[in-house]
Amino acid sequence: MKAICWNGKEDVRVEKVADPKILNDNDAILKVTLTAICGSDLHLYDGMIPTMEAGDILGHEFMGEVVETGSKVKKLSEGDRVVVPFTIACGNCFFCKEKLWSLCDNSNPNAWLAEEVYGYSGSALFGYSHMYGGFAGGQAQYVRVPFADVGPIKVDSGLRDDQVLFLSDVFPTGYQAAENCNIKEGDTVAVWGCGPVGQFAVRSAFLLGAARVIAIDRVPERMKLAQAAGADIVDYTDVDNDIIETLKQMTAGRGPDSCIDAVGMESHGATFPARLDAVKQKMMLATDRPNVLRQAIQVCRKGGTLSIPGVYGGMLDKIPFGAAFGKGLNFKMGQTHMMNYLQPLLDRIEDGQIDPSVIISHRVSIDKGPEMYKTFRDKQDHCTKVVLDPWN
């Protein structure tokens, strides 16, 4: 089969690889009908995530048709159309029973690698390094899905694939980010980053009752999408490098009630600290660029909430934790507990409350996937989201 494989920093290729097989009685094999490039995949492309190996199949946003199931799979049958969440959960451990699905104790066979870095391991992830299990991803024609009775959700309605594909990651991730803000009537929510997760954070904040959402970015097509959803937009390059003062002025000096960092470890910025972050990262003196996180801590109102769906990978430098303590901020973060959101968000799509496909700018064959990684990362050709057809 064809698959997009990682071969080093800025080196991804379409290769012919062996078709996946049932390895466990709880597995299913999926014929992938649509997949996507996620912003988190760019961290792999940029060489920021350790324990990748040449030939690893990428991709954690995918859906398709069940073509084979293991003997213990009861909820899925051949021919079922399903969306698969990017996290892999066993369904039986303490954390799964607490509905903390992304913290599953049993799905990561390489948990010791994550424990070396983080103390404990979260769940395994599709296509996201051996530290997270080494599972082949879904930017391929077929994929093996472990614990197939736990993760995938069947889509029986007439919705198009592109309307439900993003249930695999970015829609639930943006929704959880907004839900973590504990939004109350009249709240103002600030969202840093108008990429795919930021777009769904903006839309989800409104769905959950926010009176106002302020979206911060610098890329025109992304800001237009956020504005079309009802957000006030701020181009951080146009505010004299002082996003904090700008947001204070927009909120009568109080600051946003909640702040969402939908950027994470590779944030950009026009300030000196942001440029210093980039230099230190290139010199291997720092793992992450936490410019957005600093800004969000500084401007969030006293007693407010900071929600962090953006991925961070290592040790962060110059974080104003004294400000967070002094203002009594609440922090909510982590990988998305996907299985809590699949059915409720599918219901919202079916009810016409939201059409996730509006963020798509590029629909291409999987053969063009490698070049689209660069296009997406470098924000070329008005790119906001790339979906790939494995069979075209």
Side-chain angles (χ1 to χ4, degrees):
M1 69 173 184
K2 289 182 181 179
I4 296 180
C5 299
W6 185 91
N7 284 279
K9 182 179 179 180
E10 298 183 345
D11 184 3
V12 299
R13 311 171 194 169
V14 175
E15 298 180 358
K16 285 283 189 178
V17 300
D19 290 355
K21 297 179 180 179
I22 297 287
L23 300 180
N24 186 288
D25 290 339
N26 294 310
D27 291 347
I29 302 297
L30 205 70
K31 178 182 179 181
V32 179
T33 56
L34 204 63
T35 183
I37 300 174
C38 181
S40 297
D41 291 327
L42 300 181
H43 301 321
L44 304 175
Y45 184 71
D46 288 337
M48 304 305 300
I49 303 297
T51 70
M52 291 293 293
E53 297 180 6
D56 284 347
I57 299 174
L58 298 173
H60 58 267
E61 292 184 316
F62 59 91
M63 64 176 296
E65 178 186 335
V66 176
V67 294
E68 186 180 358
T69 59
S71 60
K72 291 184 179 179
V73 175
K74 306 301 181 186
K75 296 182 180 179
L76 299 180
S77 302
E78 184 177 340
D80 283 346
R81 179 190 184 208
V82 299
V83 179
V84 181
F86 76 100
T87 53
I88 302 171
C90 74
N92 290 312
C93 70
F94 168 84
F95 295 100
C96 288
K97 289 179 179 178
E98 291 292 313
K99 299 189 183 304
L100 300 172
W101 306 97
S102 70
L103 303 178
C104 176
D105 255 346
N106 294 330
S107 62
N108 186 358
N110 298 329
W112 66 272
L113 281 171
E115 289 166 0
E116 289 279 333
V117 179
Y118 299 129
Y120 294 93
S121 172
S123 72
L125 308 176
F126 286 101
Y128 215 77
S129 84
H130 291 264
M131 182 168 64
Y132 290 107
F135 288 93
Q139 290 173 6
Q141 292 178 313
Y142 294 94
V143 64
R144 180 175 74 94
V145 178
F147 302 105
D149 275 343
V150 179
I153 182 171
K154 288 193 284 188
V155 181
D156 296 322
S157 65
L159 293 168
R160 304 187 311 271
D161 280 5
D162 64 358
Q163 291 177 291
V164 296
L165 171 65
F166 301 138
L167 289 171
S168 60
D169 180 0
V170 288
F171 186 10
T173 296
Y175 191 91
Q176 178 178 282
E179 186 179 73
N180 281 344
C181 292
N182 297 314
I183 295 168
K184 298 178 178 62
E185 184 178 352
D187 274 5
T188 294
V189 180
V191 179
W192 276 258
C194 294
V197 169
Q199 295 294 335
F200 287 115
V202 166
R203 287 159 174 78
S204 297
F206 282 125
L207 287 173
L208 292 170
R212 187 185 190 192
V213 178
I214 303 170
I216 303 143
D217 207 293
R218 64 183 173 88
V219 182
E221 50 270 19
R222 293 184 173 191
M223 292 189 291
K224 287 178 183 177
L225 275 174
Q227 189 174 42
D232 297 330
I233 59 171
V234 174
D235 183 338
Y236 66 79
T237 65
D238 285 343
V239 293
D240 298 324
N241 297 336
D242 198 345
I243 189 67
I244 295 170
E245 184 59 32
T246 298
L247 291 177
K248 284 183 177 180
Q249 291 176 3
M250 295 176 73
T251 55
R254 190 173 69 182
D257 298 289
S258 301
C259 295
I260 297 176
D261 173 2
V263 181
M265 65 189 294
E266 293 189 85
S267 66
H268 296 275
T271 62
F272 175 75
R275 294 190 181 101
L276 184 60
D277 285 342
V279 171
K280 288 192 295 185
Q281 193 179 58
K282 287 182 179 178
M283 295 177 67
M284 304 299 289
L285 298 176
T287 58
D288 300 40
R289 303 198 302 262
N291 186 57
V292 162
L293 183 59
R294 295 191 196 104
Q295 293 176 343
I297 289 173
Q298 289 176 311
V299 78
C300 191
R301 74 155 169 85
K302 292 182 287 185
T305 298
L306 181 52
S307 174
I308 311 171
V311 173
Y312 285 92
M315 309 295 284
L316 307 188
D317 191 22
K318 302 292 189 296
I319 298 301
F321 209 77
F325 177 85
K327 292 195 291 181
L329 297 184
N330 302 288
F331 284 73
K332 294 284 285 185
M333 66 192 80
Q335 301 284 11
T336 311
H337 301 305
M338 292 290 295
M339 294 68 164
N340 294 338
Y341 301 105
L342 296 177
Q343 189 61 56
L345 296 185
L346 177 58
D347 291 343
R348 287 186 182 270
I349 298 170
E350 290 178 335
D351 289 345
Q353 297 178 34
I354 186 169
D355 180 358
S357 68
V358 298
I359 71 167
I360 301 170
S361 59
H362 291 66
R363 305 166 189 263
V364 301
S365 164
I366 196 172
D367 293 320
K368 295 185 177 179
E371 66 188 77
M372 293 310 303
Y373 263 82
K374 187 176 189 303
T375 298
F376 187 34
R377 183 197 63 181
D378 296 343
K379 302 167 182 65
Q380 299 170 340
D381 195 30
H382 309 291
C383 185
T384 55
K385 184 66 174 179
V386 180
V387 295
L388 307 171
D389 183 342
W391 299 94
N392 184 356

